[in-house]
Amino acid sequence: MSVRDDQIVRELSHYVHEHPADRMALLPVYDAARDHAQRRTCIHDERCPLVVTGAVVVDERNRVLCLRHEGGYALAEAEPEDADDSLSEAALRPLVEEVGIRDVWTQPGSEAPFLVDVTKPGQHSYGPRLRVGIRYLFRAHSGAVFPSMIETGAAAWVPLPDIGIPSVRSRVEDHLIGTP
């Protein structure tokens, strides 16, 4: 089984229900995914929004796991692949493949996307399409990553205030309120 457009529609529907202020920004994405699900194909000549998923993994010290990227560190994200059974699995795949993360969990009630961000063409490296990032929040202990990956700089636990995407930082802070 692989991630299907109807799964994207379900995730977006749930997200918009939880975050109605984001509805207008996500309407083109929702419409394209719904059209793909109904037709079982894309007829948009590759003009439809590009969906990527991202895992935001937070450790016991409220640091976020980031991968080395262009001389610094960035949150991991990837396009869903045929082998992925869900969007959240697709979100974790880069971290599993690149740094061997293991023993990751979600907090009860936090299994759905905690943030869906939209980036206009020209403001990302994915080409001329609208980029839609569906982000999931995970928890892990700092030892969940192979120590050699941290030592060699392939990954780093970055303090939450140093995360350069304000919407991610703010939503993670909202979810962490009341957790030890």
Side-chain angles (χ1 to χ4, degrees), residues 46-169:
E46 298 300 320
R47 293 184 320 262
C48 54
L50 173 69
V51 174
V52 297
T53 61
V56 178
V57 180
V58 181
D59 75 357
E60 66 277 4
R61 293 174 37 198
N62 292 337
R63 298 176 302 174
V64 178
L65 182 62
C66 294
L67 298 176
R68 170 143 327 269
H69 180 71
E70 296 179 0
Y73 290 98
L75 296 171
E77 67 179 32
E79 292 181 57
E81 294 180 355
D82 289 338
D84 297 321
D85 288 330
S86 68
L87 290 170
S88 62
E89 180 182 306
L92 277 172
R93 182 177 22 83
L95 295 172
V96 171
E97 291 174 353
E98 294 184 37
V99 297
I101 194 163
R102 59 195 182 283
D103 300 327
V104 175
W105 70 91
T106 58
Q107 292 188 193
S110 298
E111 297 85 4
F114 82 102
L115 178 66
V116 178
D117 52 62
V118 178
T119 309
K120 295 177 182 176
Q123 298 177 346
H124 58 74
S125 60
Y126 290 103
R129 297 163 59 187
L130 190 69
R131 178 211 151 275
V132 180
I134 301 177
R135 299 186 189 272
Y136 295 85
L137 183 62
F138 296 94
R139 297 298 300 237
H141 294 289
S142 56
V145 176
F146 292 133
S148 62
M149 294 294 127
I150 302 295
E151 292 165 6
T152 62
W157 290 103
V158 176
L160 186 55
D162 294 346
I163 297 300
I165 307 170
S167 58
V168 170
R169 191 174 53 247

Side-chain angles (χ1 to χ4, degrees), residues 1-22:
M1 184 175 163
S2 64
V3 173
R4 296 184 322 264
D5 291 307
D6 62 334
Q7 291 173 312
I8 294 170
V9 170
R10 277 194 308 274
E11 293 287 29
L12 289 174
S13 293
H14 181 270
Y15 180 81
V16 167
H17 177 73
E18 295 292 320
H19 306 280
D22 293 349

